[in-house]
Amino acid sequence: MRLTPKSATLLALVVLIALAPVFFPSGFYYRVGALIFVNALAVTGIVILTGWAGQISLGHAGFAGIGAYACALAPVHWGIHPALAVLLGAAVSAVLAWLVGRPILRLKGYYLAVASLGMGILISMVLNNERELTRGPDGIEVPELGLRAVLKDAGLDLSNGQFWYFFCGIVLILGAWLALNLRDSATGRALRALHGSEVAARTVGMDVAKLKLQAFVISAVYASVSGSLLALQNKFITPDVAGFMHSVEMVTMAVLGGVGSVAGAIFGAAVLTLLPQVLTVFAEYEQLVLGLVMVLVMIFLREGVVPSILRKIRGSGE
Amino acid sequence: MSELLQFLLSGVTVGAVYALVALGFTIIYNASDVVNFAQGEFVMLGGMITVMAYTAGAPLPLAALAAVLATAALGVAMNKLAIEPARGAPVVSLVIITIGASIFIRGAAQLVFGKQIHTFPAFSGDDPIRILGATILPQSLWVIAGSVAVFVGLWLFFTRTLLGRAVLATSNNRLAAQLVGINTPFVMTLSFAMSAGIGALAGVLVTPITMTSYDVGLAFALKGFAAAMLGGMGNPKGALVGGFLLGVLEGLTAGYISSQYKDAAAFIVILAVLFFLPQGLFGRKSTDRV
């Protein structure tokens, strides 16, 4: 039986998530794993937007901020269950993406990068300054999701780290599955067609602006859910989640792994999440190395690490 | 009245800095279609290198000159090492390269200069000048004069010299410029040198007022970028006017609305321009041939 690339990616992901804990020397690695999954989820959204629809966003952390603070604020102020707050954050992000994207995506060129940059910084500014609501730069506690206690009552006793590792892992698998389905759907094909040539896509009757807008809204929801998961597992969140550097990190992860592929996105997220953990010894050099990695990858592995390697393997096999 | 004037004066001062940064953006954008997010780091380097040379004992004018030249050299190195090898890459890649370069420069600056806040004395003292009940620092006049002088210099360069026209020709049509014998790689080098030098000059002029540290670059880049967008990307006149307008808007926001949200002005401007006036104030409507 030949596996389609879609099922191959999903199967590899499931196996990886299920088996990796066997090799964990300590509980700390569950936490690192969960962080990788959270980042990979947001980066999967970037793949849909940048890899398939060909648009850049430099403000996606703003949506992550909305998702995160929805989980921090809605349960406390309106008595909404944290799980519903995740959906609320996703809905707010989607509406905002639609409002910002609709006028911008009618324009040709890279205006979305600029508009999203402004939007993201405004969001992080509000989170920093509205101290009465968000408590400002010091951050705010996030209520417990409560699912771990439910599982414990059902007889499944997981440590906090284990629970978030598997929970985020499952959400990532779902997110990747949805993205890969989207890729093979009519919308996904249309998106990739317009990435190839906008003019050609328009000539055959595609509503190019609407397709790009759909991609932007979907990717905003991915970022929002990723922000929510980060807030819920840390039980604490600061406005840094919405900062410009976080937006840049997301794009860098996507581009590093290979912006056209979901597998690449997950690889990129893994590398750039692990890098600072490894570099804590050289904390001083973290920015230096991050910047250097970004430049070198863009020059020497333009399509990203995973597609470049795949091409090498296929090329030598022929 | 004097209150309004005061807000306007402080707005014009920061506006002059934004105008310089926006001019730097414009030069590189015109020569290469690259939006150089490392532009703000040139401002930071201008201030920082001056501080270093000055504390090492160099007289201030010499320290400032050294900073501008060193930063210009760095701009050239960035073009040679990071931009030129990626020629022909999609815009996403080029944007990421310049962001990567800016993070790299910031990281290096943190190692070399440390995390402290630095400054050096103003050029003509710190006694404020009174105008109609408002005050302005002599250094602010230096900043404003500096940005106007750079603009006039650039205008003369682009309209009156052969080399300047070669740069304009390259920005219009790279291939055609190459065909008539213009050395386009040299034009790129020159553009990065000028852009970095102008950024550094902005840093030298403004540091006595705002002080500097290794991480000030990002804010300057974003504001200068907003100014360039407002004026119309790629248009030097637009960059100048956009810079001053943005500065004044920020000054008024800080004065009348909220000093916390003064930085928001720039980004609300970006969104408003894109919604209602995507070509900016002075931009031409672009048409594409298929």
Side-chain angles (χ1 to χ4, degrees):
Chain A
M1 193 188 82
R2 262 188 84 83
L3 282 171
T4 59
K6 180 173 110 180
S7 18
T9 303
L10 284 174
L11 192 67
L13 189 58
V14 171
V15 170
L16 213 63
I17 293 174
L19 291 187
V22 178
F23 304 100
F24 288 171
S26 77
F28 172 71
Y29 289 81
Y30 282 106
R31 160 138 184 86
V32 178
L35 273 179
I36 291 177
F37 300 155
V38 165
N39 284 329
L41 187 67
V43 178
T44 305
I46 301 280
V47 166
I48 295 172
L49 179 72
T50 309
W52 302 347
Q55 296 294 312
I56 319 170
S57 168
L58 293 177
H60 250 54
F63 298 122
I66 290 176
Y69 276 83
C71 289
L73 300 177
V76 179
H77 290 275
W78 302 307
I80 293 173
H81 190 274
L84 289 176
V86 177
L87 298 180
L88 177 72
V92 172
S93 295
V95 170
L96 187 69
W98 189 81
L99 286 175
V100 172
R102 214 174 106 86
I104 300 297
L105 289 169
R106 297 190 174 280
L107 307 169
K108 281 195 64 169
Y110 291 90
Y111 290 107
L112 185 71
V114 186
S116 55
L117 171 73
M119 179 209 72
I121 290 180
L122 285 175
I123 292 172
S124 91
M125 217 176 272
V126 169
L127 295 178
N128 270 304
N129 286 337
E130 296 304 312
R131 283 163 192 276
E132 276 157 41
L133 194 61
T134 67
R135 295 210 212 128
D138 297 337
I140 187 168
E141 317 74 77
V142 178
E144 166 70 44
L145 178 62
L147 186 60
R148 190 159 75 99
V150 174
L151 288 178
K152 194 173 183 182
D153 290 341
L156 189 61
D157 192 5
L158 296 171
S159 78
N160 193 44
Q162 284 171 330
F163 168 74
W164 284 107
Y165 175 88
F166 287 110
F167 186 65
C168 295
I170 289 166
V171 176
L172 174 63
I173 292 169
L174 268 175
W177 178 68
L178 283 174
L180 288 166
N181 274 337
L182 177 75
R183 185 178 193 274
D184 294 337
S185 72
T187 313
R189 279 199 304 274
L191 279 176
R192 281 177 291 143
L194 86 87
H195 189 18
S197 165
E198 227 180 287
V199 180
R202 191 172 286 141
T203 316
V204 294
M206 291 175 185
D207 188 343
V208 168
K210 190 178 148 195
L211 285 165
K212 287 193 278 189
L213 186 58
Q214 280 175 353
F216 186 49
V217 170
I218 294 170
S219 69
V221 170
Y222 271 84
S224 176
V225 173
S226 122
S228 295
L229 289 177
L230 183 70
L232 286 169
Q233 65 164 309
N234 287 351
K235 298 196 183 62
F236 188 79
I237 200 75
T238 68
D240 284 347
V241 68
F244 177 66
M245 280 313 290
H246 189 204
S247 293
V248 172
E249 270 169 27
M250 285 186 198
V251 177
T252 311
M253 286 171 180
V255 174
L256 173 69
V259 76
S261 86
V262 172
I266 295 165
F267 173 81
V271 170
L272 281 193
T273 312
L274 287 173
L275 195 63
Q277 312 282 346
V278 180
L279 288 180
T280 41
V281 198
F282 316 98
E284 297 260 277
Y285 298 92
E286 191 188 328
Q287 291 211 329
L288 205 71
V289 173
L290 179 66
L292 204 60
V293 166
M294 287 167 77
V295 174
L296 292 180
V297 167
M298 280 302 95
I299 294 175
F300 296 110
L301 300 166
R302 235 172 250 186
E303 296 165 87
V305 174
V306 170
S308 298
I309 290 174
L310 283 179
R311 174 164 299 190
K312 281 256 162 61
I313 295 170
R314 283 189 199 127
S316 61
E318 272 164 16
Chain B
M1 185 57 209
S2 66
E3 195 187 55
L4 175 66
L5 189 67
Q6 186 66 63
F7 297 149
L8 286 178
L9 285 178
S10 57
V12 168
T13 306
V14 282
V17 179
Y18 298 160
L20 281 175
V21 182
L23 281 170
F25 267 119
T26 306
I27 293 169
I28 290 182
Y29 180 79
N30 277 344
S32 64
D33 285 329
V34 174
V35 173
N36 176 24
F37 277 91
Q39 197 65 35
E41 309 311 321
F42 297 152
V43 181
M44 178 272 290
L45 286 172
M48 280 298 201
I49 298 175
T50 312
V51 168
M52 208 174 66
Y54 181 70
T55 44
L60 196 51
L62 198 66
L65 185 70
V68 171
L69 291 179
T71 310
L74 204 100
V76 172
M78 178 182 155
N79 177 46
K80 288 276 179 239
L81 298 176
I83 307 289
E84 232 165 55
R87 178 136 284 283
V91 178
V92 194
S93 313
L94 289 171
V95 167
I96 293 184
I97 285 179
T98 65
I99 293 178
S102 83
I103 296 175
F104 177 79
I105 295 174
R106 202 178 313 150
Q110 185 193 329
L111 288 176
V112 176
F113 305 117
K115 289 189 176 182
Q116 308 91 322
I117 293 170
H118 295 281
T119 190
F120 48 83
F123 300 175
S124 325
D126 293 314
D127 300 327
I129 302 164
R130 303 199 138 268
I131 310 169
L132 300 172
T135 59
I136 187 165
L137 289 169
Q139 189 66 27
S140 298
L141 298 179
W142 275 102
V143 177
I144 297 165
S147 76
V148 173
V150 165
F151 176 74
V152 173
L154 283 176
W155 182 72
L156 289 174
F157 173 71
F158 282 126
T159 54
R160 300 292 159 87
T161 66
L162 192 60
L163 191 57
R165 289 184 195 180
V167 176
L168 280 188
T170 308
S171 69
N172 245 324
N173 189 330
R174 193 183 181 77
L175 186 63
Q178 234 161 3
L179 287 174
V180 296
I182 293 171
N183 184 350
T184 49
F186 176 70
V187 167
M188 282 285 286
T189 305
L190 182 71
S191 301
F192 271 86
M194 287 201 305
S195 178
I198 291 172
L201 180 68
V204 170
L205 292 172
V206 81
T207 297
I209 303 176
T210 59
M211 302 200 256
T212 191
S213 69
Y214 78 99
D215 58 355
V216 295
L218 185 61
F220 280 118
L222 296 177
K223 303 283 182 62
F225 185 47
M229 282 300 299
L230 176 61
M233 202 71 200
N235 183 322
K237 192 169 59 178
L240 186 78
V241 177
F244 278 109
L245 265 181
L246 184 64
V248 167
L249 206 66
E250 222 181 86
L252 294 179
T253 312
Y256 290 115
I257 301 172
S258 147
S259 58
Q260 275 180 336
Y261 280 103
K262 80 174 167 60
D263 292 330
F267 303 106
I268 290 172
V269 163
I270 291 188
L271 289 177
V273 167
L274 286 174
F275 284 178
F276 304 111
L277 199 75
Q279 310 301 329
L281 293 173
F282 295 92
R284 269 165 304 164
K285 220 171 165 52
S286 72
T287 46
D288 274 318
R289 204 174 304 163
V290 177

